[in-house]
Amino acid sequence: MRIALVGNPNSGKTTLYNVLTGSSEKVGNWAGVTVDRKESTMKSSFSDGTEVVAVDLPGAYSMSPFTNEESITSDFVKESNVAAIINVVDATNLSRSLFFTTQMLELGIPVIVALNKSDLAAKKGVVIDVEQLSQKLGCSVVETISVDAGNPGLVTLVQEAIKHAGETQVAPYTKANVDLSDKDAVQTADKERFEFVNEVVAAVEKRATETSEATSQDKIDAIVTNPVVGLVIFAAVMYAVFSISQAYVGPYIADMLCGWIEGFAEVVGGMVESASPFLQALLVDGIIGGVGAVVGFLPLVMVMYFLIALLEDCGYMARVAVVMDPFFKKVGLSGKSIIPMIIGTGCAIPGVMASRTIKNERERRTTAMLTPFMPCGAKLPVIALFAGVFFDNAGWVSPLMYFTGIAIIFLGALLTLQITGHKYRKSFFIIELPEYKIPSLKFATMSMLQRGKEFIIKAGTIILVCNAGVQIMQSFDFSLQLVAETAQDTSILAAISSPFAILFVPLGFGAWQLAAAAITGFIAKENVVGTLAVVYGITNFIDTEELALMSGSTEVATIMGLTKVAALAYLMFNLFTPPCFAAIGAMNAEMRDKKWLWGGIGLQFATGYVVAFFVYQIGTLITLGTLGDGFIAGLVVVVMIVGFVASLIMKTKKEMKQA
């Protein structure tokens, strides 16, 4: 049998789903984390041997299909013939939750109410008469704590769902045949339903503190969401996250991991020392070296994941959306766009997918297009490598990349606003702020391990294959003859990459090796590090003692032929050009328009090129007193890009005047 889990956003529904099924779907202490349907078989310890498939649906406030999440939930519940519904209700906010419950009860499908977060409700002095609530709703009501897998209410909840499966539910309140196209009719029906809900709540609930009274949480929110102070706090928090993960704790753990990887490479090298030089190079330098160079940065990524998870779980990240809302509104977006971008710091793919919670089509497409500008976990090894090699692990490098990403997002949104000709329209951003709580170390650890697992799987598959391919292309020429160590410029890889390298001369990195690394980055951004390690040799990059270079940054900078300014330009080019192919696929799915998709990819290419050009040329002028190589050619390209964008804006304004 199939049992659907439904409820309001942030009611603990997906947490309950993970506990009941053993899954590890993304959860967060804010609304809008679940954007699609998930299903999995329940553990027999909860279903007592009965085969039950649990279906987790996006959070919704009503059955009216006014948002994408509500449409998914409404369509599935009405059309999929589920045996029963578990309605997850936030016990700390009963009056809001029961509106949706009464709509569920009208469907005729047996409903079991999970009165979730009952522990938090008790701490807040909220007392709910469960038996009376059950009588008034005409269905079973079970108190649950979804974050506690051992909570006895979870077993009772599932058993009640199995017990009543297939029965016909009788609704305590019905309001049929409401014309959803008639705004007044919908408002009247909702008002009458709320009156019924309020009567039920008044009869079953007692609160120690009235909701109209300011609580300590309200006082904290007044500071944290203040337009000025909140922004300063946000900047300080993110700076601390990146500094801890990439300048202090992360490198310390990485020291040990890099030592193990190098030791493993030595063992394998010893085992194949009698094999052909090509096989040795492919196995030791190509596969172990390339993959190891990426995995060596895993601790930095995982520490950042851990800290971000703590911020999510304590409820802070939802406040960030409130702080950023006024700024996003000025460029045609809203605070809701910040949620996909924060999720995108872990991986751009779920970040882009999270944009589907945005109802306005233009805002949703713009958000999906701009979210990849936030450096994701896959780009972190690239940042860490260049920070370690060229900037002595300076703590400012990572925060600079993230704040530059935010600045580009604002500029990109502003350009999109001008190109699309969107007229200013007053909009409202409404988000339910979760309760502050002490973050769960278990949740943060599990979140970190899950993301770390995905990172390792990618390193062991896509990156491994890619690095092996890079090693092979670097070892052979087009006649399939091994190239000499001193003649790598004749290799297949050099031949393919060299034309692109010419385009990068005005950006300060016109070497075919750097072009090859940038190109493989479109398969997966971690490949940039892996490919650099392969084409230059892994031992040039990883130091088992300091996660820096075996021979020091000066020698490696010489090997790569980069100045610090050119290195910074190369880093920004890789961060702000289009994301990996998988993320582009997600953009395509969420934009649902080829014109927007190709426009977005073009914007990302143009942004990466222009940013890298100005960083290299201005930086070189400041540090060396002269312009960099290829200034005129690069300036021509930049002028063409700017001119094209300006022509689009002028065309739009002309069309708006004629309209």
Side-chain angles (χ1 to χ4, degrees), residues 451-474:
R451 292 178 174 180
K453 177 184 172 185
E454 294 169 358
F455 189 94
I456 292 173
I457 290 174
K458 192 190 289 185
T461 53
I462 298 173
I463 298 170
L464 186 150
V465 171
C466 188
N467 286 335
V470 167
Q471 181 67 41
I472 292 171
M473 287 193 293
Q474 185 184 233

Side-chain angles (χ1 to χ4, degrees), residues 67 84 137 150 232 237 265 355 468 473 491 505 545 552 576 592 635:
T67 67
L137 296 178
V232 174
V237 167
S355 65
M473 287 193 293
S491 67
V505 170
E545 298 298 326
F576 303 128
R592 305 168 197 168
L635 185 62

Side-chain angles (χ1 to χ4, degrees), residues 209-229:
T209 303
E210 294 299 325
T211 53
S212 57
E213 297 177 17
T215 64
S216 57
Q217 304 237 358
D218 296 330
K219 295 173 182 174
I220 296 173
D221 276 341
I223 299 172
V224 174
T225 61
N226 181 278
V228 178
V229 179

Side-chain angles (χ1 to χ4, degrees), residues 301-636:
V301 179
M302 293 186 70
V303 171
M304 189 190 76
Y305 285 157
F306 181 80
L307 297 174
I308 292 289
L310 289 178
L311 292 173
E312 289 180 2
D313 198 39
C314 74
Y316 175 70
M317 283 308 196
R319 273 74 184 179
V320 173
V322 177
V323 173
M324 299 301 289
D325 178 61
F327 302 98
F328 274 79
K329 274 196 172 71
K330 293 183 185 300
V331 293
L333 299 177
S334 74
K336 207 162 188 179
S337 295
I338 193 67
I339 294 174
M341 292 169 187
I342 291 173
I343 294 175
T345 58
C347 176
I349 298 170
V352 171
M353 291 174 64
S355 65
R356 72 179 57 170
T357 60
I358 300 171
K359 186 178 178 182
N360 182 281
E361 187 177 67
R362 189 196 59 80
E363 289 185 15
R364 185 183 71 247
R365 288 171 170 170
T366 304
T367 302
M369 178 177 67
L370 299 177
T371 292
F373 281 125
M374 285 299 288
C376 64
K379 295 175 181 175
L380 204 53
V382 190
I383 299 173
L385 174 65
F386 278 76
V389 170
F390 293 96
F391 303 102
D392 195 25
N393 279 321
W396 56 267
V397 178
S398 291
L400 176 64
M401 296 303 110
Y402 283 85
F403 289 123
T404 301
I406 293 173
I408 289 174
I409 285 171
F410 275 101
L411 183 59
L414 195 59
L415 284 176
T416 307
L417 190 65
Q418 297 295 318
I419 292 172
T420 57
H422 174 71
K423 293 182 179 178
Y424 176 76
R425 178 172 58 86
K426 190 174 183 180
S427 62
F428 299 93
F429 171 58
I430 301 173
I431 185 172
E432 181 185 346
L433 294 178
E435 297 278 346
Y436 287 111
K437 67 174 186 177
I438 298 174
S440 166
L441 294 178
K442 180 182 177 183
F443 166 79
T445 303
M446 294 304 294
S447 176
M448 174 188 71
L449 292 176
Q450 176 63 25
R451 292 178 174 180
K453 177 184 172 185
E454 294 169 358
F455 189 94
I456 292 173
I457 290 174
K458 192 190 289 185
T461 53
I462 298 173
I463 298 170
L464 186 150
V465 171
C466 188
N467 286 335
V470 167
Q471 181 67 41
I472 292 171
M473 287 193 293
Q474 185 184 233
S475 301
F476 291 92
D477 58 23
F478 280 109
S479 302
L480 299 183
Q481 299 295 316
L482 276 171
V483 299
E485 289 188 10
T486 56
Q488 290 187 337
D489 289 351
T490 62
S491 67
I492 296 173
L493 186 63
I496 294 174
S497 305
S498 293
F500 295 97
I502 295 172
L503 299 175
F504 299 149
V505 170
L507 313 185
F509 43 89
W512 66 264
Q513 294 93 336
L514 297 168
I519 293 169
T520 58
F522 294 119
I523 300 173
K525 286 300 176 184
E526 300 96 327
N527 271 331
V528 174
V529 173
T531 303
L532 287 175
V534 171
V535 297
Y536 284 117
I538 182 63
T539 53
N540 290 327
F541 290 90
I542 302 298
D543 181 359
T544 58
E545 298 298 326
E546 299 179 357
L547 189 63
L549 302 178
M550 284 293 285
S551 306
S553 58
T554 303
E555 290 187 21
V556 170
T558 303
I559 292 171
M560 294 178 69
L562 291 177
T563 63
K564 289 187 177 182
V565 170
L568 190 61
Y570 185 70
L571 175 59
M572 289 192 169
F573 178 82
N574 281 287
L575 297 187
F576 303 128
T577 43
C580 63
F581 292 143
I584 291 175
M587 286 170 54
N588 181 40
E590 301 308 325
M591 289 178 171
R592 305 168 197 168
D593 186 291
K594 297 300 180 188
K595 192 174 179 180
W596 269 86
L597 175 66
W598 289 110
I601 294 173
L603 176 68
Q604 291 162 346
F605 267 120
T607 300
Y609 196 93
V610 172
V611 169
F613 173 77
F614 282 116
V615 167
Y616 172 62
Q617 296 293 344
I618 295 175
T620 302
L621 183 62
I622 293 173
T623 55
L624 301 179
T626 181
L627 292 168
D629 296 337
F631 172 75
I632 299 298
L635 185 62
V636 170

Side-chain angles (χ1 to χ4, degrees), residues 197-326:
V197 168
N198 290 336
E199 290 176 6
V200 173
V201 174
V204 304
E205 181 188 80
K206 291 182 180 177
R207 285 180 171 267
T209 303
E210 294 299 325
T211 53
S212 57
E213 297 177 17
T215 64
S216 57
Q217 304 237 358
D218 296 330
K219 295 173 182 174
I220 296 173
D221 276 341
I223 299 172
V224 174
T225 61
N226 181 278
V228 178
V229 179
L231 198 61
V232 174
I233 293 174
F234 173 59
V237 167
M238 297 314 292
Y239 183 86
V241 167
F242 298 131
S243 295
I244 292 171
S245 62
Q246 292 159 55
Y248 299 103
V249 180
Y252 176 76
I253 302 173
D255 285 350
M256 295 183 286
L257 183 59
C258 288
W260 298 339
I261 293 171
E262 183 165 312
F264 178 67
E266 289 177 356
V267 171
V268 174
M271 294 172 66
V272 297
E273 61 182 354
S274 59
S276 70
F278 168 69
L279 181 60
Q280 290 184 46
L282 176 63
L283 193 60
V284 179
D285 296 333
I287 295 178
I288 299 177
V291 174
V294 176
V295 174
F297 293 99
L298 179 62
L300 284 69
V301 179
M302 293 186 70
V303 171
M304 189 190 76
Y305 285 157
F306 181 80
L307 297 174
I308 292 289
L310 289 178
L311 292 173
E312 289 180 2
D313 198 39
C314 74
Y316 175 70
M317 283 308 196
R319 273 74 184 179
V320 173
V322 177
V323 173
M324 299 301 289
D325 178 61

